[in-house]
Amino acid sequence: FFHIDLSFSSISPMFGYVHGGTNVSISLNDATSESAVTHCIFGQKPVPVITFGTGIVVCRAPAADIPGSVPLGVSADDGESFSMSPIPFEYNQPATFTSIQPGHGPESGGTKVMLVGTNFISRSSAVSCLFGSNRVVCRLVSSEELICETPAMRPGRYEIK
């Protein structure tokens, strides 16, 4: 008989989009047990482990039917049984932008931009946006408003995420 400790110490990130595809890193309390883990389960949907390292297992979250929290677990017996985390994984709708004001600024940056839309969430003290490939920290005003300061960038059009 061989006992494997599959208890969790952390999950990162703790949320993703309903369309799936978020790579979730699961830190195990026993740093030697990660190579035994073959599957993760999100709610009722098992998925294979995509990679592992010292004490960490990574699984890709499958798509969810609806937003909300689901139990998360890992398996060391090809998905026959799962050790469940006390920390749930939360599925959310992707953020959408309906208004960006102002729509332009100087290439030196520093313009405060108000982003209006839906499904803005924060699970930490830092919320960020991408202006092209430049990540900036934003202030979450509400689930429908963000304020971000533009970085210095070359003139041009940039996608905001």
Side-chain angles (χ1 to χ4, degrees), residues 129-152:
C129 286
L130 289 172
F131 286 83
S133 62
N134 296 297
R135 184 174 303 276
V136 296
V137 175
C138 301
R139 184 170 59 88
L140 182 66
V141 177
S142 72
S143 64
E144 298 175 343
E145 289 183 11
L146 287 173
I147 296 177
C148 301
E149 190 171 314
T150 60

Side-chain angles (χ1 to χ4, degrees), residues 47-67:
V47 295
V49 168
I50 57 173
T51 189
F52 61 87
T54 306
I56 295 177
V57 173
V58 179
C59 290
R60 185 166 292 126
D65 299 324
I66 58 172

Side-chain angles (χ1 to χ4, degrees), residues 5 8 15 20 29 51 57 93 116 119 127 145 153:
D5 180 6
F8 292 56
F15 59 93
N29 286 323
T51 189
V57 173
Q93 292 290 353
V116 178
N119 302 318
V127 176
E145 289 183 11
M153 300 176 73

Side-chain angles (χ1 to χ4, degrees), residues 35-98:
S35 63
V37 177
T38 60
H39 289 77
C40 296
I41 192 164
F42 293 79
Q44 297 297 315
K45 298 180 179 182
V47 295
V49 168
I50 57 173
T51 189
F52 61 87
T54 306
I56 295 177
V57 173
V58 179
C59 290
R60 185 166 292 126
D65 299 324
I66 58 172
S69 294
V70 297
L72 176 62
V74 294
S75 172
D77 59 5
D78 289 326
E80 294 296 318
S81 63
F82 289 88
S83 176
M84 303 307 289
S85 167
I87 308 164
F89 182 79
E90 185 170 336
Y91 282 100
N92 297 297
Q93 292 290 353
T96 58
F97 298 119
T98 55

